[in-house]
Amino acid sequence: MNLLLTGAAGGVATQIRPLLLERYGSVLLSDRVQPEALQDGETFVAADLGEPDQIDALMKQCDAIIHLGGVSVEAPWQPVLEANIAGLYNVYEAARVNKVQRIVFASSNHAVGFYPRDIVIDHEKPVRPDTRYGVSKAFGEALGGLYADKHGLRVFNIRIGNVADRPIDRRRMSIWLHPEDLVQLCAIGLEHPDVHFETVYGFSKCEPAWWDNRRATELGYQPKHRSSDFRDEVLAADPPPGPGDASEIYQGGTFVLEP
Ligand SMILES: NC(=O)c1ccc[n+]([C@@H]2O[C@H](COP(=O)([O-])OP(=O)(O)OC[C@H]3O[C@@H](n4cnc5c(N)ncnc54)[C@H](O)[C@@H]3O)[C@@H](O)[C@H]2O)c1
């Protein structure tokens, strides 16, 4: 597999690059800024998602993509539009033209951030974005559906919670994703023969869980890391919220308060 990792200079990519290299032997990295500390087996090609020619040149060099590149938090509309809407279209269109086989898309919990925390949602619930950023992820999931159903790409959307070595606060106890578990999900998206168009949740074994991840389980996902191992220290450092705090009612946390 000739694997391309976009957003390769970013926080998530930096955490999973060693694991991808171990599993796949070589990885083509791309970003608009140079990633640090390239290893044997890693090649970097600079490209801006907003430049179709640059993205087309990238797609000629791969047959599978983990797409992490783009705006990764709430932002004004213009950068979201350029990177996550038009930029993602450039990725899918170049993938189609160059017959790329598979795309793993880094979607986000913020595509469903306006669901309250006291209900459990699955992959079949309609999106409820909490931000312009969340809307762009909902768009990205839908765009993947179009290219899967119309053009035969195999598309795997992962609604990522929060990628880190450990849950960093009370909210992350429910949505934390260890980098090893993320790579396990990516491998399902890149390798599983039944993947046509899938959307799964990207979290480790978390309590309390807000997401029913049965589709990921059906495809073989078995997270190795559990948030409850960190419960005492996380809850001691992050006291319970006061009543009526909207950022504690909804799954998207403080993103629901963004203007
Ligand atoms: N960090 C998390 O826990 C988390 C949670 C949910 C979803 N995600 C998603 O995972 C992906 C990676 O997240 P991250 O935290 O590493 O983000 P990040 O902001 O650290 O990295 C994103 C990378 O994309 C690159 N980029 C931005 N615009 C670009 C453009 N126009 N052309 C080329 N490259 C561009 C940036 O240079 C950056 O290196 C994002 O798509 C994000 O939405 C991350």
Side-chain angles (χ1 to χ4, degrees), residues 24-189:
Y24 294 107
S26 65
V27 185
L28 178 63
L29 306 179
S30 185
D31 201 297
R32 59 181 174 186
V33 297
Q34 168 94 32
E36 289 178 5
L38 290 196
Q39 303 296 308
D40 284 350
E42 291 182 323
T43 310
F44 174 64
V45 176
D48 193 308
L49 296 167
E51 298 292 339
D53 292 349
Q54 295 177 14
I55 300 304
D56 185 70
L58 265 186
M59 297 299 157
K60 293 190 185 331
Q61 302 175 60
C62 69
D63 40 46
I65 308 165
I66 300 173
H67 181 60
L68 303 182
V71 173
S72 60
V73 288
E74 179 61 328
W77 179 241
Q78 200 58 31
V80 172
L81 174 66
E82 287 169 12
N84 293 14
I85 305 283
L88 187 66
Y89 178 78
N90 293 337
V91 168
Y92 269 104
E93 191 51 17
R96 177 188 70 79
V97 168
N98 291 290
K99 301 192 165 36
V100 170
Q101 303 293 304
R102 297 205 185 219
I103 298 189
V104 172
F105 172 59
S107 183
S108 169
N109 66 90
H110 295 290
V112 289
F114 256 120
Y115 279 102
R117 297 180 185 188
D118 57 4
I119 63 166
V120 173
I121 56 172
D122 67 12
H123 58 288
E124 292 177 335
K125 280 278 196 190
V127 292
R128 286 179 81 170
D130 57 24
T131 39
R132 292 173 290 277
Y133 163 70
V135 168
S136 77
K137 293 300 185 181
F139 166 85
E141 292 181 1
L143 189 65
L146 174 67
Y147 277 81
D149 290 339
K150 189 164 276 189
H151 304 298
L153 269 83
R154 294 173 183 257
V155 174
F156 194 72
N157 296 322
I158 307 175
R159 288 181 181 160
I160 297 173
N162 182 244
V163 182
D165 283 337
R166 42 159 292 168
I168 56 173
D169 60 17
R170 196 172 281 270
R171 175 172 170 264
R172 266 58 162 238
M173 288 294 292
S174 293
I175 69 167
W176 169 56
L177 177 60
H178 190 282
E180 287 176 2
D181 290 336
L182 172 56
V183 169
Q184 191 191 141
L185 282 171
C186 289
I188 291 169

